[in-house]
Amino acid sequence: MNLTPRQLQILTKIRDYRVTKGYSPTMQQLANDLGVSKVTVFEHVEALIKKGALQRDANKARSLRLSPNLQLPDESKKTRLPLVGTIAAGIPIEAVEQREHLDLEELFTSGHVHGDNTFVLRVRGESMIDEHIQDGDYVVCQRRNTARNGETVVAIVDNDEATLKTLFHEKSGQIRLQPANDNFEPIIVDPNRIQIQGTVIGVIRTY
């Protein structure tokens, strides 16, 4: 697919924003972040839809998403994973998108991690220390929107707060996000207030 550098920027921004927020940015947000006009962004988005790189639900806001089979250049190297922001391991914080990458090949000379459908977050806070996830660690996550009891998840609460916790389905129908530190209280929410963005499949720590 023939994509311009600006179109690649827009696609990357939409991908990373959806990981941390659960929905796509507005045209104005894209324009502000890229330093261009809203009209310019709109023209690029329409071109990307025609090329088949982007999909959008009719009459639905914030529904832009990358086509399932599209692979961006930064995903072609299996050990180079998108570092899309910071995740709270204390109280929830607003997820902040960052344009960075974590190259596992640079950190480790051996080993193999599949980059497809995978992303990395840097941990901030100490609520998961009893699960050996410490402040400053990197958690490698698989993109998923569901999780089983006992899985450590990246969860967005009330649309704009992201946190790292162990998920449990309560008999009451609510969801409990359980910290692994007795100094922190669990977060108990109704299912409609939470979006699962992924489950933790690995932890990376540098010294």
Side-chain angles (χ1 to χ4, degrees):
M1 189 178 296
N2 186 21
L3 300 173
T4 68
R6 180 66 75 187
Q7 289 172 347
L8 286 171
Q9 281 184 302
I10 291 172
L11 290 169
T12 301
K13 175 68 178 177
I14 293 171
R15 178 201 64 189
D16 294 349
Y17 198 96
R18 288 184 66 89
V19 168
T20 55
K21 293 286 190 179
Y23 48 83
S24 60
T26 64
M27 298 288 187
Q28 190 61 59
Q29 286 172 324
L30 285 170
N32 293 343
D33 290 345
L34 297 173
V36 299
S37 69
K38 184 177 177 180
V39 173
T40 298
V41 171
F42 181 81
E43 290 174 348
H44 282 304
V45 165
E46 290 300 312
L48 287 166
I49 292 173
K50 289 180 181 179
K51 289 181 177 181
L54 273 181
Q55 296 178 348
R56 177 173 56 195
D57 296 332
N59 302 318
K60 186 176 179 181
R62 294 181 178 269
S63 63
L64 286 172
R65 61 187 181 279
L66 274 62
S67 298
N69 296 326
L70 180 68
Q71 186 179 63
L72 297 181
D74 63 6
E75 297 172 340
S76 61
K77 190 177 181 182
K78 298 305 181 184
T79 59
R80 192 169 189 258
L81 306 177
L83 176 58
V84 298
T86 299
I87 186 72
I91 60 172
I93 60 170
E94 183 177 355
V96 179
E97 180 268 338
Q98 298 172 341
R99 294 179 194 166
E100 298 178 20
H101 292 83
L102 181 68
D103 195 327
L104 299 180
E105 189 173 85
E106 294 178 357
L107 292 176
F108 305 102
T109 57
S110 62
H112 181 76
V113 174
H114 293 284
D116 296 340
N117 210 34
T118 309
F119 61 95
V120 176
L121 290 166
R122 184 183 291 114
V123 175
R124 190 172 78 190
E126 298 182 343
S127 74
M128 298 300 290
I129 58 174
D130 289 344
E131 289 290 337
H132 307 290
I133 301 174
Q134 300 180 12
D135 183 68
D137 286 352
Y138 298 97
V139 286
V140 183
C141 306
Q142 181 182 30
R143 287 190 181 94
R144 284 170 49 190
N145 57 17
T146 60
R148 297 182 294 271
N149 276 336
E151 289 189 309
T152 302
V153 301
V154 175
I156 293 178
V157 180
D158 292 334
N159 292 324
D160 62 359
E161 294 181 330
T163 190
L164 183 71
K165 297 288 184 292
T166 303
L167 180 142
F168 294 96
H169 296 274
E170 301 284 84
K171 291 182 179 180
S172 63
Q174 293 181 305
I175 290 176
R176 171 165 51 94
L177 298 175
Q178 182 67 40
N181 184 333
D182 291 340
N183 294 320
F184 292 82
E185 295 293 327
I187 300 171
I188 300 176
V189 295
D190 293 329
N192 59 4
R193 292 178 54 200
I194 184 173
Q195 298 176 56
I196 306 301
Q197 297 298 294
T199 57
V200 174
I201 60 175
V203 179
I204 300 170
R205 182 175 304 149
T206 58
Y207 298 92

